């Protein structure tokens, strides 16, 4: 939901500029959900690269289930990341992702969930986008992988782990 330097949306727009010719054959939109300090600069850059017709800024949205239902792929180009909620949500919704191999993204990734690319590399991201467009819509994430993500990052699991830690801490005092 944040449009800011650390999320590297500028790298994603550069990648769209590099892969623009691949998008002429198919309907392709890179949709940004959220808002923030770098939005206007990103709009200006997309305009300068002549890809504004392939880039959409939706602003903040509360209906992410609808956004995921309309998407074919989730792209996360972050420079740094903890464990990204957007990729957990995408995987739980059955969507593959294309993301930079940073921080907790590497821990979340499994074969079949999507592709990883190096951070700060618009050409690698562009190449992956070209591949995605050429491949056509990917099959949904397998039910077993989707279930694994849902179980692994469930509120209940986190609550159970916190409860176990608190029990251990209170036994020791």
């Amino acid at each position: 939901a944040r449009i800011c330097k650390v999320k590297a949306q500028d790298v994603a727009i550069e990648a769209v500029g590099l892969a623009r010719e691949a998008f002429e054959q198919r309907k392709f939109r890179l949709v940004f959900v959220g808002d923030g300090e770098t939005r206007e600069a990103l709009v200006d850059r997309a305009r300068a690269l002549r890809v504004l017709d392939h880039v959409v800024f939706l602003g903040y949205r509360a209906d992410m289930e609808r956004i995921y239902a309309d998407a074919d792929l989730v792209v996360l180009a972050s420079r740094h990341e903890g464990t990204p909620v957007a990729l957990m949500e995408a995987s739980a919704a059955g969507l593959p992702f294309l993301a930079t191999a940073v921080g907790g993204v590497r821990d979340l990734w499994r074969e079949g969930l999507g592709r990883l690319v190096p951070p700060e590399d618009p050409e690698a991201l562009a190449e992956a986008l070209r591949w995605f467009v050429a491949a056509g819509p990917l099959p949904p994430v397998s039910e077993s992988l989707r279930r694994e993500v849902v179980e692994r990052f469930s509120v209940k699991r986190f609550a159970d782990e916190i409860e176990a830690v608190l029990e251990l801490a209170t036994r020791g005092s």
Side-chain angles (χ1 to χ4, degrees), residues 30-49:
L30 181 64
V31 177
F32 292 101
V33 179
D35 210 345
E37 64 204 38
T38 60
R39 179 179 176 161
E40 289 308 312
L42 294 173
V43 170
D44 291 344
R45 187 64 184 142
R47 185 177 295 113
L49 292 171

Side-chain angles (χ1 to χ4, degrees), residues 77-98:
S78 293
R79 291 177 168 90
H80 309 282
E81 209 40 86
T83 302
V85 172
L87 296 185
M88 287 186 268
E89 290 174 344
S91 299
L95 285 173
F97 62 76
L98 169 56

